[in-house]
Amino acid sequence: MEYLEPGKTVIFRDEEEEWLAGKIISASGLGADLQCEIEDERYGERRHATMADLDPNPEPDVALTGPPDLTLLDNLTEGSLLCGVRVRHHKGEVYTEAGGALISTNPYKDVSAKLYTEELMEGYSRETASAPSGLDPSPFRVAERAFRNIEDNVGSQSICVFGESGAGKTEAAKLCLRHLSFRSADSSGSPEESIENKVIATNPVLEAFGNAKTGRNDNSSRFGRFVQVLFRRERTKSGRVGSKVIGASITSYLLEKSRVTRQLYGERNYHIFYQFLRGASANELQDCQLTAGGGGGAAGSDSYLGPPGAPYVGFGQAAQQQAGGMPPGAHHGHPGASAHVPPPHGGPAGHHGGHGAHGAHGGMGVAMPGQ
């Protein structure tokens, strides 16, 4: 990329550190002395760029089509990756693959009827490397790859779900668990008995003690979570031998303990404290030297449960919505990012804070590092 001719498409970084695509209007100089004027394709503005601002991908056109798998790019660079994901987001495509990893963006709308149906799970369960289904990238495909390795006796598997606060790590893990439950050798039970729903049923307790309001998310998990799913080989009613989910365990770790005694302005303590203030009797509050509205006791609730001036909000979605602390649906995230990570040499799952599966046919680890 010593010299760029006018009209050539390039990916460049603007003054706000955002990667954009545009066409060269004029260019002068060579190498480090290159100076060019670019009209970006997103805002239609003319911008000045130097050699240091240009993405080194010499052929960015494929990235700008928004391919479903970024490994299709001849040159996978930071700029081409981010531009490719943005193009798919503008098309309404939530997920993009990058080899064994899955990148997701927040659609800011309900896409469950389009992306998370039982028909789609059935489609992903039928696809193979030699007979791809043609379906778009999905957390169901991530879970399916791991499940296939369990079926093929490759060994215990791990799925790592990560992202910043509010990215939707919990939601992504639910989708993976949903597909594993669907693929279980005996998935004919009632929905209430599925492993997905049993794991989800533990959320109120875990979130009460481990979730809090932050500046970016009203229901942010302030701890890591490792969900272990165990399988056993069983013969189904149809006579086929397959893997059946027989149980699950949840391990929490890395709780942000400092939040108990100190929070940033505008943030809150863990939900359990607000639950306690709302539901405790007068005698219980007196025993704990707390008062329900603050302003009394040896340690008033306002001074303990939040920064000075923070409005008191009772726990519970209805109460928080009424007080303006949580908009409807704010506790529902969208998938962040997930990757299927087979453990080295077929070893046990648990490299992200959990333990491997022992005494069972296979194990599946779903780790969600806290943010």
Side-chain angles (χ1 to χ4, degrees), residues 8-360:
K8 181 178 177 61
T9 300
V10 294
I11 295 175
F12 67 100
R13 192 196 303 265
D14 72 352
E15 61 274 7
E16 296 180 354
E17 300 297 305
E18 179 182 7
W19 288 102
L20 299 172
K23 292 187 180 297
I24 298 291
I25 302 300
S26 62
S28 61
L30 297 174
D33 298 325
L34 176 70
Q35 303 285 328
C36 56
E37 188 177 14
I38 305 173
E39 181 178 358
D40 75 72
E41 297 179 350
R42 185 177 185 186
Y43 304 107
E45 300 176 356
R46 292 197 173 193
R47 303 172 184 267
H48 178 267
T50 65
M51 187 66 179
D53 299 323
L54 299 180
D55 184 79
N57 188 348
E59 300 293 339
D61 297 302
V62 177
L64 299 180
T65 64
D69 190 343
L70 295 174
T71 58
L72 298 175
L73 302 178
D74 292 333
N75 297 276
L76 183 57
T77 59
E78 179 185 357
S80 59
L81 185 151
L82 295 177
C83 277
V85 171
R86 187 177 70 230
V87 168
R88 289 184 59 77
H89 176 72
H90 289 165
K91 292 179 177 179
E93 303 291 346
V94 176
Y95 298 105
T96 306
E97 288 182 330
L102 183 70
I103 303 170
S104 67
T105 55
N106 194 328
Y108 295 102
K109 61 182 179 181
D110 186 4
V111 293
S112 56
K114 174 185 176 183
L115 300 180
Y116 311 131
T117 65
E118 189 168 310
E119 291 76 13
L120 283 174
M121 286 192 288
E122 183 66 35
Y124 290 110
S125 67
R126 289 196 302 264
E127 69 178 3
T128 63
S130 59
S133 64
L135 296 172
D136 288 330
S138 169
F140 295 153
R141 178 174 288 158
V142 174
E144 178 63 27
R145 289 170 179 165
F147 181 81
R148 290 284 179 85
N149 283 340
I150 292 288
E151 287 273 87
D152 297 339
N153 291 311
V154 172
S156 296
Q157 303 292 300
S158 294
I159 297 175
C160 184
V161 184
F162 56 92
E164 59 187 12
S165 179
K169 297 181 292 295
T170 301
E171 196 71 17
K174 288 178 185 177
L175 292 171
C176 291
L177 290 170
R178 179 180 173 185
H179 188 77
L180 294 175
S181 179
F182 174 80
R183 290 288 277 132
S184 177
D186 183 13
S187 58
S188 58
S190 65
E192 293 76 14
E193 296 176 349
S194 71
I195 192 67
E196 171 207 5
N197 284 304
K198 289 182 179 180
V199 171
I200 293 173
T202 66
N203 277 345
V205 175
L206 288 173
E207 292 184 0
F209 287 90
N211 284 29
K213 180 186 184 300
T214 66
R216 304 182 63 180
N217 182 7
D218 287 336
N219 193 34
S220 175
S221 298
R222 312 311 301 166
F223 66 102
R225 186 183 310 181
F226 184 84
V227 182
Q228 185 184 51
V229 183
L230 301 179
F231 296 83
R232 182 172 60 203
R233 300 287 276 181
E234 286 191 359
R235 188 175 298 277
T236 65
K237 296 178 181 179
S238 62
R240 185 183 69 87
V241 175
S243 298
K244 176 184 177 181
V245 175
I246 60 173
S249 65
I250 301 175
T251 303
S252 59
Y253 57 96
L254 296 178
L255 179 68
E256 185 185 29
K257 296 180 181 179
S258 60
R259 182 171 292 271
V260 174
T261 57
R262 183 178 179 85
Q263 308 92 40
L264 297 177
Y265 187 84
E267 296 195 355
R268 295 193 171 278
N269 211 318
Y270 291 106
H271 295 328
I272 187 62
F273 292 107
Y274 303 94
Q275 284 181 312
F276 181 77
L277 279 180
R278 176 57 61 91
S281 65
N283 290 336
E284 289 172 327
L285 291 173
Q286 184 175 3
D287 290 341
C288 295
Q289 299 183 350
L290 292 171
T291 55
S301 60
D302 281 348
S303 63
Y304 183 61
L305 294 175
Y312 174 78
V313 180
F315 181 80
Q317 185 180 358
Q320 295 194 33
Q321 290 176 5
Q322 183 179 8
M326 178 187 289
H331 65 296
H332 293 297
H334 293 280
S338 59
H340 171 214
V341 188
H345 310 297
H351 303 291
H352 303 283
H355 302 282
H358 302 288

